[in-house]
Amino acid sequence: MSDKAGVAEAVAALRAIGYYLERDQQPTHRVKAYRRAADTIAALPAAEVRARRRAGTLTELAGIGPKTEAVILEAMDGATPSYLVKLEESAGALTTAGKAMRAALKADLHLHSEWSDGGSPIEEMARTAYRLGHKYLALTDHSARLTVANGLSRERRLQQLEVVAELNKRLGAELDGFTILNGIEVDILEDGTLDCDTEILARLDVVVASVHSKLRMASEPMTERMVRAVANPHVDILGHCTGRLITGGRGTRPESDFDADVVFEACRQFGTAVEINSRPERLDPPKRLLSLAVEAGCIFSIDTDAHAPGQLDWQVYGCERAEDCGVTPDRVINTWDQKQLLEWTAS
């Protein structure tokens, strides 16, 4: 095996391990260790990596420890690393249901990259989505006001549009026409306006609007806030509507208080999809509200809100909940092909 091929195999193995650890909701530091090691050797000339391998000095590199070194050595010797084999063998189905809905999905319309608070490059998120069977995805990095999530300024958003255009030229040819749609998860401000100017919103393919601040507002102003947002003609999807957290490293958080009948009727009236957020710590909306949205005649988007490649596989959690609450594929916008979706968002 050539130096270049051996290093490429090692990088792929390290990223695959990170994927399985993320999928299994392992601690972030464990995931980052393998992704950091992959980044370290990917940035070096293959001949240098091979020389260090022979000299036994790989662990002198920042981000390479004994465990990640073992993976690199096995991969560069042409073998599948034993740790990766173990993870692949133990990776079973995440749920026992939701498979029919998941098979109908063609995209994920809410996910983040390293441009905001995600942990991986846009290209890696796209390639993983393709491997999972998607035809396209919507990149929805945060808007500027959410500084804790490294939200994109107007200038960075414009720069990202250019980056995505270049990626689509290359990936479309490599990945059977797979496309990255330009999107945003835009903050719904306290008065119901959006944290992004209309010129930018008009240039984007998919707009997910979510509440991230003042989550404990009284019911009446929160209801007005959400209704004003979903009535905005640029908004396509209402993201994680209750804002709840039910588990995870950030602790728990109760649902926001709002009149769900009014909000879901507004979603139906203005043609805004209600997101079924698949993140294990969110699973938002709760089933009682999801059933209410079904009864109200809403349409839906089943999304992962992924912040790393391994999390893209969590979509089945939302699919299971959708099936449990009577959501049918014809009411889920990411079962549509790209042309139909873009015609809908443009309208």
Side-chain angles (χ1 to χ4, degrees), residues 76-256:
M76 291 185 72
D77 283 341
T80 302
S82 55
Y83 186 37
L84 178 55
V85 171
K86 178 182 176 181
L87 291 174
E88 289 174 334
E89 290 176 348
S90 63
L94 294 175
T95 69
T96 57
K99 295 179 182 178
M101 180 67 80
R102 176 62 186 85
L105 296 181
K106 294 181 173 65
D108 195 328
L109 301 180
H110 181 179
L111 56 92
H112 302 274
S113 75
E114 63 183 2
W115 281 63
S116 63
D117 60 342
S120 295
I122 300 168
E123 181 172 348
E124 188 172 356
M125 297 296 285
R127 288 185 180 278
T128 302
Y130 174 77
R131 287 196 297 272
L132 291 174
H134 286 314
K135 304 299 183 184
Y136 61 97
L137 62 78
L139 174 65
T140 55
D141 281 319
H142 287 285
S143 60
R145 181 169 174 173
L146 202 64
T147 54
V148 69
N150 193 29
L152 275 64
S153 64
R154 191 178 198 280
E155 292 71 24
R156 292 179 66 218
R157 184 75 57 185
L158 291 171
Q159 182 184 1
Q160 188 179 78
L161 293 177
E162 296 177 359
V163 169
V164 168
E166 290 301 315
L167 277 173
N168 278 333
K169 289 178 184 177
R170 178 160 51 84
L171 295 182
E174 290 182 34
L175 306 181
D176 302 322
F178 184 90
T179 306
I180 303 166
L181 301 183
N182 290 297
I184 187 174
E185 184 180 16
V186 63
D187 265 27
I188 300 173
L189 304 180
E190 194 171 347
D191 63 355
T193 57
L194 304 179
D195 179 36
C196 186
D197 65 73
T198 56
E199 181 186 348
I200 294 293
L201 292 174
R203 293 184 61 177
L204 300 175
D205 300 309
V206 177
V207 175
V208 179
S210 306
V211 173
H212 289 107
S213 62
K214 302 282 186 178
L215 291 166
R216 307 310 303 149
M217 286 177 71
S219 178
E220 184 174 351
M222 179 63 87
T223 302
E224 293 175 358
R225 176 186 188 182
M226 295 173 73
V227 167
R228 183 174 183 185
V230 301
N232 187 303
H234 292 294
V235 172
D236 304 307
I237 301 167
L238 173 63
H240 49 70
C241 63
T242 77
R244 73 173 186 172
L245 293 175
I246 56 177
T247 187
R250 290 186 289 171
T252 60
R253 182 168 65 212
E255 301 168 22
S256 293

Side-chain angles (χ1 to χ4, degrees), residues 2 25 34 52-53 70 90 120 138 147 186 209 289 304 323 327:
S2 69
Q25 302 177 55
Y34 288 92
R52 284 184 174 275
R53 182 229 188 282
S90 63
S120 295
T147 54
V186 63
L289 293 185
T304 60
E323 290 183 352
V327 178

Side-chain angles (χ1 to χ4, degrees), residues 323-334:
E323 290 183 352
D324 285 348
C325 295
V327 178
T328 52
D330 60 295
R331 294 173 67 175
V332 179
I333 65 173
N334 41 339

